[in-house]
Every structure is written in C-alpha cells, then in structure tokens.
C-alpha cells in the first residue's frame, strides 16, 4: 500500500447473502465504526438492499470524524455485472438485479468500486492479512454458498464480467446429483455450503440408511455436524462430505496451483475438525498440496478487501 495514502480512509461495504456489513477502513487495514444489518430481515425488494447500503454509508460518513472518505469499496456476493455495477441473478438472494454503483455515486458523489466478495477476501489476505505480499493465493469461503477469489502472479483475477473463480459451481459429484441454486447439478455448493449440507445429508440418508430414519432431520449445517458427532450411524456421511470437498479442492489446485489456500466462512471456522483435515485427506495425491490455513481476519476479509480495493484504485 502506498504511503502517500496513509492519511485517507475509505468506506467498505460487504453485501453477503444474509448480512450487510460496513465500516471505515484505513490504509493499514484498521476497520472501525463497524455495522452489521440482517439483510433477510430488512430487505424485501432489490431497492431495499440499495437503500440499506446507502443508509449504512450515510451513517458512516456522518460519524467519520477524520473527515470525508476518499472512496467507497463494495464487496458483493455474485454474480455481478461490473459493466453496469449491479448484482445479477444471485442464487443465494431472491432478487433478479440489485443496482449498486450508480445509485451510490449519485447519492454521495464519491468514486464507487464494486468487486466480488471472494475476490475482496483474497485481496484482504494479501494486503492486510498474515500472508501479506503473497503473489499466488486462493481464498475459498464456505458459507451460504461456496466461492473463491484468486490472486495469481500478484494480480487479482476478475474475469471478463467480474465472476472468475466461481468454484462453488464446479461439478464435484454425479452419484447424488443434487440440484444447485444456479440450475445446474452436482455443483460443490449444492453439497457443502451452509444450505447444501442439510440437503446432501438428507439424500445420503435416503440412499444409505433407508428405513432407519429415527432421528429428526437436521435443517441447518450446524445441526448436521451435531448429528455426526453424536451418532455413529452418520460417520459415513462425514466421509461422503470429505470426498466432495476433496474433489472441489482438487479442482481448485489443478486450476490455479496456488502457494496458499485460505479458507473462510463460519462453517469451516467453527467445524474445521470435521471439514478441513478430512478434505485434505481426500485431495488428489498427484497434485502439489499448497499451504492451507483458515483466515485469521475473523469474517471481515470481504469488508477489508473492499476497502483495500478502493484504496488501491485511489492510489
Ligand atoms: Zn451451481
């Protein structure tokens, strides 16, 4: 980060599938005035999302005693249309199109920079995280969906429309053929995301333990993990999940051969023993295994990355 910018701050916003996080980001990676709003409770229409983001930024600008922010960086769950600055047909949100950059520019008169939330996460890891300066890194988030951000040769890979590395939609299975929110089948996030795990568990039980469904069916991933820990009957599911995750990780390594892979998201942060080790054991042996870690940025990587991106653009 250029030292010329040490005096300026930017506003960062992270629009996820469930929450809008916002805060003031400094060039050294300090985030303060942090706010979090439950998007599913407060937003009924796409315009509600835009209005919530505007309100959050307005509050931050009013509280920003250090003076006017230089720019606004927005990290959002894709798919994105970067040419028009909108979120389009996200499988994890029920809205067709959410306008972002135009309404924010008109409201605040500041530069607005939009990028995929996983790309932002990757940027935060190499700009502000312990892996600062790493040139080849893949950041993978396992939360409501599964996505990745890729730094290759020191550059953020964006893709033609800003949707590179949508690894959650890589095919990892044909046995269970679970439908994905995108309309496809056998995709990684249909099995191993927060919403996918309960559906995968149900299908696995139907196939492997038919007629032995004595327990209530868990409706969330943490409940599935609790069931795995408490009932030996379900240990086979942990293996099936590890196989799918190993396939997904193998695909990522084969595509990018990064030096580091950083996992993020509440699922893997809270259940690393059930997810990370078994996944690594099922990764293809012929691939060079990168250094693998869990993000130390405590869920703030996309927000910090949105700030890092805006600071970089303003440099
Ligand atoms: Zn998909």
């Amino acid at each position: 980060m250029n030292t010329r910018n040490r005096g300026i701050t930017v506003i960062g916003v992270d629009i996820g599938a469930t929450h809008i996080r916002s805060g003031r980001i400094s060039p050294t990676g300090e985030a303060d005035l942090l706010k979090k709003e439950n998007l599913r409770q407060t937003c009924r229409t796409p315009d509600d999302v835009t209005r919530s983001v505007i309100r959050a930024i307005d509050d931050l600008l009013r509280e920003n005693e250090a003076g006017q922010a230089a720019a606004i960086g927005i990290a959002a769950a894709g798919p994105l249309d970067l040419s028009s600055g909108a979120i389009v047909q996200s499988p994890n949100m029920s809205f067709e199109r959410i306008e972002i950059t135009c309404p924010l520019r008109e409201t605040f008169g500041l530069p607005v920079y939009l990028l995929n939330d996983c790309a932002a996460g990757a940027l935060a890891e190499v700009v502000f995280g312990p892996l600062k300066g790493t040139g080849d890194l893949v950041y993978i988030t396992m939360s409501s969906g599964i996505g990745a951000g890729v730094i290759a040769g020191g550059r953020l890979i964006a893709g033609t429309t800003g949707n590179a590395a949508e690894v959650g939609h890589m095919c990892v299975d044909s046995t269970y053929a679970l439908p994905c929110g995108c309309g496809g089948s056998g995709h990684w996030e249909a099995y191993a995301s927060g919403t996918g795990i309960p559906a995968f568990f149900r299908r696995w039980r139907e196939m492997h333990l038919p007629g032995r469904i004595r327990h209530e069916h868990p409706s969330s991933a943490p409940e599935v993990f609790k069931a795995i820990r408490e009932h030996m009957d379900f240990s086979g599911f942990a293996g099936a999940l590890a196989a799918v995750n190993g396939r997904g990780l193998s695909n990522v390594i084969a595509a990018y051969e990064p030096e580091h892979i950083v996992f993020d998201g509440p699922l893997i942060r809270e259940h690393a023993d059930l997810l990370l080790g078994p996944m690594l054991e099922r990764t293809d042996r012929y691939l060079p295994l990168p250094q693998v870690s869990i993000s130390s940025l405590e869920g703030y990587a996309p927000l910090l990355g949105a700030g890092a991106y805006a600071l970089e653009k303003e440099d």
Side-chain angles (χ1 to χ4, degrees), residues 2-296:
N2 192 304
T3 49
R4 282 191 296 120
N5 273 345
R6 288 207 178 275
I8 71 164
T9 60
V10 294
I11 301 295
V13 181
D14 169 21
I15 308 170
T18 55
H19 290 91
I20 298 171
R21 290 184 172 83
S22 54
R24 179 175 66 183
I25 317 290
S26 80
T28 48
E30 280 101 34
D32 63 357
L33 307 179
L34 294 169
K35 290 185 168 44
K36 183 176 170 184
E37 179 179 333
N38 189 315
L39 182 150
R40 288 191 172 155
Q41 282 173 4
T42 57
C43 298
R44 303 270 173 262
T45 69
D47 287 346
D48 286 345
V49 179
T50 312
R51 276 193 288 269
S52 290
V53 172
I54 288 174
R55 201 166 47 241
I57 295 169
D58 198 40
D59 289 348
L60 280 167
L61 291 172
R62 285 175 200 276
E63 292 174 46
N64 189 3
E65 290 165 8
Q68 177 77 341
I72 298 166
I74 310 281
L80 306 179
D81 177 0
L82 288 187
S83 61
S84 61
I87 303 169
V88 289
Q89 296 172 327
S90 169
N92 298 315
M93 289 190 235
S94 53
F95 308 128
E96 184 84 1
R97 182 180 176 87
I98 305 167
E99 300 293 342
I100 298 294
T101 56
C102 288
L104 298 193
R105 278 196 195 108
E106 281 167 18
T107 306
F108 299 109
L110 289 171
V112 180
Y113 302 106
L114 174 68
L115 80 168
N116 176 281
D117 56 355
C118 294
L123 200 57
E125 297 292 340
V126 300
V127 174
F128 298 136
L131 298 173
K132 198 170 177 173
T134 300
D136 290 276
L137 173 143
V138 177
Y139 167 94
I140 301 176
T141 187
M142 300 178 93
S143 53
S144 308
I146 293 178
V150 178
I151 307 283
R155 295 172 63 110
L156 187 63
I157 305 299
T160 306
T161 58
N163 298 295
E166 281 276 12
V167 302
H169 303 284
M170 283 178 166
C171 193
V172 293
D173 169 73
S174 57
T175 304
Y176 301 91
L178 288 178
C180 182
C182 72
S185 167
H187 294 181
W188 192 5
E189 77 172 33
Y191 294 71
S193 66
T195 48
I197 284 172
F200 183 25
F201 186 55
R202 179 183 289 272
R203 182 69 61 89
W204 179 88
R205 283 174 74 176
E206 287 165 359
M207 282 180 72
H208 298 283
L209 301 174
R212 292 176 58 198
I213 302 180
R214 298 186 300 273
H215 313 288
E216 279 287 297
H217 188 79
S219 59
S220 70
E223 287 172 25
V224 173
F225 292 135
K226 186 167 179 283
I228 294 172
R229 292 182 197 284
E230 290 177 355
H231 303 287
M232 278 303 292
D233 284 357
F234 302 144
S235 60
F237 176 72
L241 184 60
V244 160
N245 282 332
R247 181 80 261 123
L249 185 61
S250 298
N251 289 347
V252 169
I253 297 168
Y256 304 109
E257 205 209 337
E259 185 184 355
H260 291 272
I261 291 183
V262 180
F263 280 98
D264 203 358
L267 276 186
I268 199 152
R269 285 203 307 270
E270 289 161 24
H271 303 279
D273 61 322
L274 282 178
L275 291 173
L276 190 57
M279 171 173 14
L280 294 174
E281 282 170 20
R282 301 298 287 265
T283 302
D284 290 344
R285 290 293 100 188
Y286 74 92
L287 293 168
L289 194 64
Q291 295 177 49
V292 178
S293 58
I294 292 181
S295 176
S296 60

